[in-house]
Amino acid sequence: MKLRENAGRVARVVVATSSIVAAVTSFGVSAAAASPSTCATPTVLVHDLASSEREWDGWLDELGGRGVCAFAFTYGASEASVLLQQKGLAVAGLSRIEDSAIEFGAFVGSVRERTGADRVQVLAHGAGGLVAQQWIAHAGAEDVRTLVTVGPLWNGTDIAGLGTIAAVNRSLGIYDALAVVEKPLLEPICAACGQIVANSGYMHDAARTGWVVPGVRYVNVMSRYDGLMTDPLSAAVPGSENVIVQDVDPSDRANHLQLMNDPLVRRLALTALTAPAVG
């Protein structure tokens, strides 16, 4: 493959990566929000890629009304976060999923210390579920009772055709070589953007080890019209409980950007969160 062709492809990937950020951008980064310090099972809220804890603002009162004490935080600020802030775009969740998972684990530890709880439950949106699962799978399974995801990305996204491109490159045996070229260009912008693409190195390795960890209850709340997920219903991974919005209301057309403000989605997620574990 010629250098010019490589450069052109990298440029296209940079543009497409920017489209991922734009597709899931939410505004406002602030200090960690939390409810009272005493609760039996604290709930940690994990925002989506290119967002912040502010996306949970509309949920906190309803969580409190159901007797759920919730703790939200902002994770994954990258070098690009500073540049975006200068443009009036306050976003986070851009750094490597592995690095964000370390932040998540530290936050879980602080919540457990503050509340005295042995285990937490987690409510995550989009890529936030990958961050939580990364930590659960590698360090924190004993600390998490339940993981409820809204618009999960267990099989990644094919936005701008990136997942299809990755699959072709993998079949040609050139994926790893191209990834080496792209990594230093993309990571300062949004390392997680490349990781959430279907057939990426991250998604490939994570799927190989499995998404469900024994002892943790998984519930996925999905919309057939998500738009960001690669085949939304493919996120119904074996061993998880799956709730499809349109099975409850066929007229609901919520896409990934609309999930957090959809009253039905919120009700289904909170019901899953407060339901007693089976077994």
Side-chain angles (χ1 to χ4, degrees):
M1 184 174 292
K2 297 178 181 179
L3 179 59
R4 182 177 299 174
E5 293 172 342
N6 277 348
R9 183 184 180 282
V10 170
R12 290 193 296 273
V13 172
V14 170
V15 172
T17 299
S18 299
S19 73
I20 295 177
V21 176
V24 291
T25 293
S26 191
F27 302 104
V29 177
S30 62
S35 56
S37 60
T38 56
C39 53
T41 306
T43 299
V44 175
L45 308 178
V46 192
H47 62 77
D48 202 354
L49 182 151
S51 186
S52 76
E53 67 186 72
R54 289 284 183 85
E55 74 174 11
W56 298 106
D57 286 353
W59 294 61
L60 293 176
D61 287 343
E62 193 164 347
L63 282 162
R66 291 185 179 230
V68 177
C69 54
F71 298 80
F73 75 116
T74 296
Y75 69 88
S78 71
E79 295 178 19
S81 298
V82 178
L83 299 177
L84 290 169
Q85 180 67 50
Q86 295 172 357
K87 299 295 184 181
L89 301 174
V91 299
L94 304 179
S95 57
R96 294 170 67 248
I97 291 173
E98 297 91 337
D99 296 334
S100 293
I102 293 173
E103 294 183 57
F104 170 77
F107 188 75
V108 168
S110 69
V111 169
R112 291 180 60 225
E113 182 177 358
R114 175 176 175 179
T115 62
D118 292 331
R119 305 181 79 184
V120 302
Q121 53 188 6
V122 180
L123 177 58
H125 179 211
L130 299 176
V131 170
Q133 175 60 18
Q134 172 72 23
W135 183 75
I136 291 170
H138 293 88
E142 296 181 355
D143 297 335
V144 176
R145 185 185 74 180
T146 299
L147 171 57
V148 176
T149 59
V150 175
L153 290 170
W154 300 131
N155 287 301
T157 178
D158 193 28
I159 191 170
L162 289 178
T164 301
I165 293 171
V168 171
N169 289 343
R170 192 175 295 281
S171 69
L172 295 174
I174 60 174
Y175 179 89
D176 291 337
L178 289 174
V180 169
V181 175
E182 295 165 0
K183 184 176 180 179
L185 297 174
L186 300 182
E187 283 208 349
I189 302 171
C190 179
C193 289
Q195 290 181 305
I196 69 169
V197 170
N199 301 302
S200 70
Y202 179 85
M203 297 301 298
H204 185 264
D205 292 342
R208 187 168 51 192
T209 59
W211 291 114
V212 174
V213 174
V216 179
R217 174 176 173 249
Y218 292 81
V219 184
N220 301 311
V221 179
M222 304 171 289
S223 170
R224 296 178 188 273
Y225 302 95
D226 184 284
L228 187 65
M229 275 194 271
T230 301
D231 180 7
L233 301 191
S234 69
V237 293
S240 63
E241 302 170 37
N242 300 286
V243 181
I244 302 171
V245 174
Q246 286 73 32
D247 285 352
V248 180
D249 180 3
S251 67
D252 193 303
R253 294 294 190 271
N255 61 38
H256 195 83
L257 294 177
Q258 298 166 338
L259 290 174
M260 296 296 285
N261 295 318
D262 187 302
L264 175 57
V265 171
R266 187 177 303 177
R267 175 165 62 84
L268 294 174
L270 298 187
T271 297
L273 192 69
T274 57
V278 177

